[in-house]
Amino acid sequence: MVDVLAPNATIGILGGGQLGRMLSVAASRLGFKTHVFEPSAQPPAGHVADKVTTASYENAEALKAFAASVDVITYEFENVPTSALDLLESIKPIRPNRRALAVSQDRISEKEFLVDLGLKVAPFAAVDTAEDLDKAIAEIGTPAILKTRRFGYDGKGQSRIMAPVDAAKALEDVAGAPSVLEGFIDFTHEVSVIAARGQAGDVSCFDPGENVHINGILHTTTVPATLTSSQRMDAVLLAAKVLNALDYVGVMGVEIFVTKQGLVVNEIAPRVHNSGHWTQNGCVIDQFEQHIRAVAGWPLGDGKRHSNVEMLNLIGDDVDKIADYAKDGSVAIHMYGKSDVKAGRKMGHVNKITGAA
Amino acid sequence: MVDVLAPNATIGILGGGQLGRMLSVAASRLGFKTHVFEPSAQPPAGHVADKVTTASYENAEALKAFAASVDVITYEFENVPTSALDLLESIKPIRPNRRALAVSQDRISEKEFLVDLGLKVAPFAAVDTAEDLDKAIAEIGTPAILKTRRFGYDGKGQSRIMAPVDAAKALEDVAGAPSVLEGFIDFTHEVSVIAARGQAGDVSCFDPGENVHINGILHTTTVPATLTSSQRMDAVLLAAKVLNALDYVGVMGVEIFVTKQGLVVNEIAPRVHNSGHWTQNGCVIDQFEQHIRAVAGWPLGDGKRHSNVEMLNLIGDDVDKIADYAKDGSVAIHMYGKSDVKAGRKMGHVNKITGAA
């Protein structure tokens, strides 16, 4: 059943970073108000949201008041503590649903879920101890990469193992947290599909984008991606399979390695995704609005692309180049309103239109 | 000299309606915060602005606190009282400048200014008394239209005079306010140029749009407009002449009648304009961002159009059609977050993409 939000209803957003900020703007465009819940002070989303609650996810009273003030709850990141979600869900619906969060919060659950769907993933093994790691290295080989099962993002909580001798250092890097060893994939490039699923089960995907990472952080996404038409179709169908299996409502980012042996799923993110920022200037309805439409029970946009785009993240000092980007009429600037520039911090992004689609 | 706003600076916006709302979103995209000053409670811009002051333009303390909290002041409408502007300007710069406001706040000043520039306007005469009106009708003829010199918008403060016998009724309609009689122009259609001028004197115009009004309220704007290439060039040059003459900084809407005798200026509005809403989905940099860029001392966008667009205003009950518009993937929806639906009230607009430019 489709639960259509009333006009002027309020959407609660867990997380007040740049994704929450851009979700908030999209919600306002459709006539909704937003209320952002964020533990940190002065969150980027706060400048554009109707209301902000600054409180920790352990603050039950704040969570209750937040849930009572909104009509539906969504989130900008997948690592919201389970206890907070339990409390919120007892008061208002959360979309996307808990299963998507449960699966994606743990790299092992995620990979097992994908394998069960018949999708390819990198070889992997759970690692809790030094013995587990030795065994996993023997089985999977090197090079490989040790990742914490939970709370990793932008290359954090990861350590490369080029040879078995790196094992001890890798265990130190993950600080003994429950982890997973992943075999390296011999891929030619990475693409991602930004897929959306509505409450009625309708699925709509944006054209896959091609991603380049630097130091584990997304650097550029370019559309169109280098894909044959059958690869493009496979990527979209694969993403749709994931969303359908989770009875998902909202936008999901599905990162895919393109290899000689076919498409291998790198990871899924149950939220709007950095690699979908190009849609803001390449499509009539972008990923942020698409997510809000799904959450609000509206029809989805068709994902059609009117322009070719190169999205470039502005990390740390990159913001100093804004004055130059501003001179180029084919460049759309999207700043996040963060006052402190820090190395590795995502400060904004630009979408350069490179031609008509 | 160009006064470039610092990153994360705050832009003060006088007026919290839909134009202030969309200016506020554009400002956030460039990393600026906004502070909206609006006498009415719950203004549409309030949901997306960083701060809102609810106070009257007669409240000197509120005006002073507002001016002190921002880095530069702009406005969404031209009828801000002069006393408020005097006070604000003594504290922080106002862009566009006061001259543009002075000229456009009074229909007679505006027409005299345009005539001095060598531009064509409708025949007009000042009307303060019944004798003035009789004399003006004898001179200009009928049909004609009596308009208050100040505070008119969306067809308000206007009365049609089809024959001299209508004179008394027209004087009643304008309630004795200082007025102007304008002769009817035999035009084929109306177009408008959304023009921008930066602090360094650079001018950039969007492609003219073709406007259709119903009951004095804008109904649709369509790009491209029905214009020959020389008419298109003339319209743009005419607009640039107006902005240059005023040493204008920001976006201005210039409404133009297309007649067999050439282009006749209907009126100018020293602000972003309803007939420029199509730019949100037709251009990389829209009129709202263009205005913020000018105010902030940034380079202007080039005004290039990537798509053909039909903008349709949603007035009053038209909002009920939103569910249908939402099904069309080529339609971008822009709601204003107004909770009460009233006849004649602008509730939102849609931009339908009708093809690549």
Side-chain angles (χ1 to χ4, degrees), chain A residues 21 28-29 47 293 335, chain B residues 21 28-29 47 50 326 335:
Chain A
R21 177 180 172 98
S28 75
R29 213 156 53 214
H47 307 312
R293 281 174 172 244
M335 298 301 297
Chain B
R21 177 179 171 99
S28 75
R29 214 156 51 214
H47 307 311
D50 193 46
M335 298 301 297

Side-chain angles (χ1 to χ4, degrees), chain A residues 78-100:
Chain A
E78 56 271 44
N79 292 321
V80 180
T82 302
S83 59
L85 294 168
D86 286 341
L87 177 55
L88 293 168
E89 199 171 32
S90 71
I91 307 173
K92 288 289 158 61
I94 298 179
R95 297 185 190 121
N97 63 34
R98 296 292 298 280
R99 187 156 172 238

Side-chain angles (χ1 to χ4, degrees), chain B residues 157-177:
Chain B
Q158 303 197 0
S159 186
R160 292 192 179 213
I161 298 177
M162 300 311 288
V165 71
D166 299 334
K169 165 78 167 54
L171 276 177
E172 266 175 46
D173 285 347
V174 301

Side-chain angles (χ1 to χ4, degrees), chain A residues 135-183:
Chain A
K135 202 179 139 205
I137 291 176
E139 187 185 311
I140 291 171
T142 55
I145 186 158
L146 189 67
K147 299 179 178 178
T148 56
R149 287 174 66 156
R150 290 172 172 270
F151 306 122
Y153 71 98
D154 284 350
K156 291 177 189 172
Q158 303 196 1
S159 186
R160 292 193 179 212
I161 298 178
M162 299 311 288
V165 70
D166 298 336
K169 165 81 167 54
L171 276 176
E172 266 175 46
D173 285 347
V174 301
S179 297
V180 56
L181 186 74
E182 292 181 14

Side-chain angles (χ1 to χ4, degrees), chain A:
Chain A
M1 216 195 71
V2 177
D3 175 20
V4 181
L5 269 195
N8 302 302
T10 299
I11 298 175
I13 301 176
L14 302 174
Q18 61 267 19
L19 301 180
R21 177 180 172 98
M22 294 182 278
L23 283 170
S24 195
V25 166
S28 75
R29 213 156 53 214
L30 300 185
F32 300 117
K33 298 191 198 73
T34 57
H35 184 166
V36 166
F37 190 102
E38 165 64 48
S40 323
Q42 293 291 325
H47 307 312
V48 296
D50 193 47
K51 280 189 198 158
V52 184
T53 292
T54 306
S56 104
Y57 287 115
E58 278 73 51
N59 185 334
E61 288 314 305
L63 289 167
K64 279 186 212 167
F66 169 77
S69 78
V70 304
D71 296 286
V72 62
I73 297 167
T74 189
Y75 45 87
E76 64 150 15
F77 78 128
E78 56 271 44
N79 292 321
V80 180
T82 302
S83 59
L85 294 168
D86 286 341
L87 177 55
L88 293 168
E89 199 171 32
S90 71
I91 307 173
K92 288 289 158 61
I94 298 179
R95 297 185 190 121
N97 63 34
R98 296 292 298 280
R99 187 156 172 238
L101 281 171
V103 162
S104 63
Q105 279 183 345
D106 179 338
R107 291 185 191 275
I108 303 267
S109 312
E110 182 177 311
K111 287 182 193 297
E112 286 172 347
F113 163 76
L114 294 167
V115 169
D116 284 348
L117 283 182
L119 303 177
K120 287 183 198 163
V121 299
F124 68 98
V127 171
D128 292 326
T129 63
E131 293 72 46
D132 290 345
L133 183 53
D134 290 344
K135 202 179 139 205
I137 291 176
E139 187 185 311
I140 291 171
T142 55
I145 186 158
L146 189 67
K147 299 179 178 178
T148 56
R149 287 174 66 156
R150 290 172 172 270
F151 306 122
Y153 71 98
D154 284 350
K156 291 177 189 172
Q158 303 196 1
S159 186
R160 292 193 179 212
I161 298 178
M162 299 311 288
V165 70
D166 298 336
K169 165 81 167 54
L171 276 176
E172 266 175 46
D173 285 347
V174 301
S179 297
V180 56
L181 186 74
E182 292 181 14
F184 262 115
I185 292 288
D186 182 22
F187 62 96
T188 55
H189 54 294
E190 187 198 281
V191 299
S192 53
V193 175
I194 306 300
R197 188 167 176 278
Q199 292 183 31
D202 45 319
V203 171
S204 177
C205 296
F206 293 102
D207 200 15
E210 182 167 340
N211 303 326
V212 174
H213 292 80
I214 293 183
N215 299 328
I217 303 180
L218 185 66
H219 178 57
T220 57
T221 300
T222 304
V223 282
T226 313
L227 290 172
T228 63
S229 58
S230 71
Q231 283 174 324
R232 182 168 276 113
M233 181 61 79
D234 285 351
V236 163
L237 288 177
L238 172 168
K241 199 170 193 174
V242 172
L243 274 71
N244 283 328
L246 292 169
D247 194 20
Y248 194 80
V249 171
V251 162
M252 176 183 280
V254 181
E255 292 183 2
I256 299 167
F257 293 130
V258 181
T259 79
K260 284 177 190 152
Q261 291 74 41
L263 303 180
V264 175
V265 181
N266 178 23
E267 62 179 45
I268 62 175
R271 52 169 169 80
V272 289
H273 197 258
N274 195 164
S275 67
H277 291 359
W278 66 267
T279 59
Q280 293 175 308
N281 298 95
C283 304
V284 174
I285 293 163
D286 67 21
Q287 69 161 347
F288 301 100
E289 180 172 331
Q290 193 77 308
H291 185 79
I292 297 294
R293 281 174 172 244
V295 167
W298 280 38
L300 299 180
D302 59 14
K304 200 179 152 193
R305 185 165 60 78
H306 58 65
S307 297
N308 297 339
V309 186
E310 182 180 326
M311 189 289 303
L312 171 74
N313 270 336
L314 303 175
I315 315 276
D317 289 344
D318 291 347
V319 284
D320 297 342
K321 299 176 201 156
I322 277 295
D324 285 327
Y325 290 121
K327 289 176 194 157
D328 184 343
S330 67
V331 168
I333 292 172
H334 299 268
M335 298 301 297
Y336 305 154
K338 298 179 183 176
S339 41
D340 298 328
V341 180
K342 288 181 196 163
R345 193 174 201 201
K346 290 178 179 171
M347 303 300 295
H349 66 274
V350 296
N351 286 328
K352 181 170 174 67
I353 305 298
T354 56

